[in-house]
């Protein structure tokens, strides 16, 4: 089974969502490919009602707190009420633009797990960190801090997303992806004692490059931003992988 998760980011109006649902429903989905889409909160319920039989629907972020004086936040418990099954956590845009720390991300991971929402923890190095040969150190620190006190190996995934590859059209080679994903699995197994966790690759994946980029034996699938905004392109990534 390969996993293809989409991240719509802050895109799509209700009109776009309705036409996306129509387009997605028209597609013949490939076997052995699991699709999921992380949508803006407001579309969670509609997408779930219309697409949940074909595609898992989740969100892009959640609150680290359960409830209280956190104006503007949405808790895992609230998301549960609307059938949210997964959430991205620690996406690099949130780390960079909203200054999320590994400690806050850890609280979000724990909150998601306590409420039966699967966190997809995003980790990855910046261009500067890559150039300074710090990729492994960065990945290990992010994994160790963000997964602190997580007791089970089940019900979470990790997405390896080099920050410099997100939305840029520039990607690592398939060998670089495989090396970093297998390093992540090694850290998960040896340092964090988590066996069998799925690890996705994310960063400028599209129908043309998906087969090549995801060909490493450790890579369990993809997290897709831009190309997930078009239902045909998004499903096409799965079709290419399945064929
Ligand atoms: C992302 O937002 O997680 C992502 C991978 O974006 P893109 O596919 O557009 O690079």
């Amino acid at each position: 089974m390969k996993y293809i998760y989409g991240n719509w980011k802050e895109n799509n109006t209700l009109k776009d969502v309705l036409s996306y649902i129509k387009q997605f429903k028209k597609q013949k989905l490939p076997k052995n490919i699991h699709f999921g889409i992380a949508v803006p909160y407001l579309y969670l319920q509609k997408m779930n009602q219309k697409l949940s039989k074909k595609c898992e629907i989740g969100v892009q972020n959640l609150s680290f707190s359960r409830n209280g004086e956190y104006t503007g936040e949405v808790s895992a418990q609230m998301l549960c009420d609307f059938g949210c099954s997964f959430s991205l956590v620690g996406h690099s845009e949130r780390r960079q633009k909203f200054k999320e720390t590994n400690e806050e991300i850890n609280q979000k991971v724990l909150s998601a797990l306590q409420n039966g929402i699967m966190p997809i923890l995003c980790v990855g190095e910046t261009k500067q960190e890559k150039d300074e040969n710090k990729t492994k150190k960065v990945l290990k620190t992010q994994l160790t801090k963000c997964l602190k006190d997580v007791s089970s190996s089940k019900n979470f995934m990790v997405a390896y997303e080099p920050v410099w590859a997100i939305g840029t059209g520039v990607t690592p080679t398939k060998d670089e992806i495989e090396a970093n994903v297998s390093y992540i699995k090694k850290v998960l197994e040896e340092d964090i004692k988590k066996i069998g966790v799925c690890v996705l690759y994310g960063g400028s994946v599209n129908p043309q490059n998906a087969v090549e980029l995801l060909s490493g034996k450790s890579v369990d699938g993809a997290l897709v931003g831009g190309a997930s905004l078009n239902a045909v392109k998004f499903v096409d990534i799965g079709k290419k992988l399945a064929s």
Side-chain angles (χ1 to χ4, degrees):
M1 174 73 78
K2 291 269 188 209
Y3 298 86
I4 314 284
Y5 283 91
N7 174 16
W8 280 3
K9 312 193 190 201
E10 192 186 35
N11 290 302
N12 286 337
T13 61
L14 182 57
K15 193 166 157 244
D16 300 325
V17 173
L18 298 177
S19 86
Y20 194 96
I21 290 167
K22 263 195 203 150
Q23 282 290 334
F24 196 98
K25 279 185 162 170
K26 277 190 208 156
Q27 310 292 311
K28 186 168 162 25
L29 299 184
K31 289 209 176 87
N32 292 324
I33 303 286
H34 177 94
F35 290 97
I37 307 176
V39 300
Y41 294 132
L42 292 170
Y43 305 134
L44 176 65
Q45 197 176 20
K46 175 65 79 189
M47 286 287 281
N48 238 337
Q49 281 165 355
K50 301 287 182 188
L51 282 187
S52 63
K53 289 202 180 91
K54 291 170 167 264
C55 181
E56 195 183 357
I57 306 298
V59 295
Q60 303 162 20
N61 179 39
L62 43 67
S63 175
F64 61 80
S65 61
R66 188 183 160 84
N67 63 318
E69 288 72 40
Y70 296 100
T71 302
E73 291 296 281
V74 176
S75 73
Q77 218 182 7
M78 295 169 190
L79 291 166
C80 267
D81 288 344
F82 288 87
C84 177
S85 68
F86 76 92
S87 176
L88 305 184
V89 181
H91 190 282
S92 63
E93 287 159 12
R94 298 214 54 91
R95 290 177 188 264
Q96 293 196 323
K97 295 178 184 169
F98 298 91
K99 306 287 174 249
E100 276 188 13
T101 63
N102 286 323
E103 289 69 25
E104 281 163 354
I105 294 164
N106 177 236
Q107 292 305 306
K108 293 182 179 201
V109 167
L110 294 173
S111 183
L113 287 169
Q114 278 156 14
N115 287 281
I117 292 175
M118 178 186 76
I120 301 183
L121 170 65
C122 303
V123 295
E125 80 286 1
T126 61
K127 176 77 171 70
Q128 187 178 347
E129 289 161 345
K130 176 181 159 62
D131 292 345
E132 291 172 0
N133 276 325
K134 289 185 182 154
T135 298
K136 285 188 172 162
K137 188 167 173 271
V138 168
L139 294 176
K140 190 168 181 167
T141 304
Q142 290 180 342
L143 289 165
T144 317
K145 292 194 170 177
C146 297
L147 294 173
K148 188 168 168 271
D149 297 332
V150 170
S151 52
S152 160
S153 304
K154 292 202 186 94
N155 300 331
F156 74 92
M157 288 188 186
V158 172
Y160 169 54
E161 296 212 305
V163 180
W164 49 275
I166 297 181
T168 58
V170 182
T171 63
T173 64
K174 69 171 196 306
D175 293 340
E176 283 172 326
I177 293 171
E178 172 58 22
N180 287 330
V181 168
S182 73
Y183 176 72
I184 288 170
K185 288 194 168 174
K186 183 170 168 292
V187 172
L188 285 167
E189 283 170 25
E190 293 177 8
D191 298 270
I192 315 183
K193 312 290 175 216
K194 301 283 177 283
I195 313 291
V197 177
C198 282
V199 180
L200 315 173
Y201 164 74
S204 298
V205 174
N206 59 44
Q208 286 73 45
N209 64 17
V211 173
E212 162 90 0
L213 295 182
L214 309 179
S215 60
K217 66 175 175 11
S218 308
V219 185
D220 296 300
L223 179 54
V224 183
S228 73
L229 290 172
N230 178 308
V232 177
K233 265 196 193 173
F234 183 53
V235 172
D236 218 29
I237 293 174
K239 286 182 181 163
K240 292 264 166 62
L241 289 177
S243 60

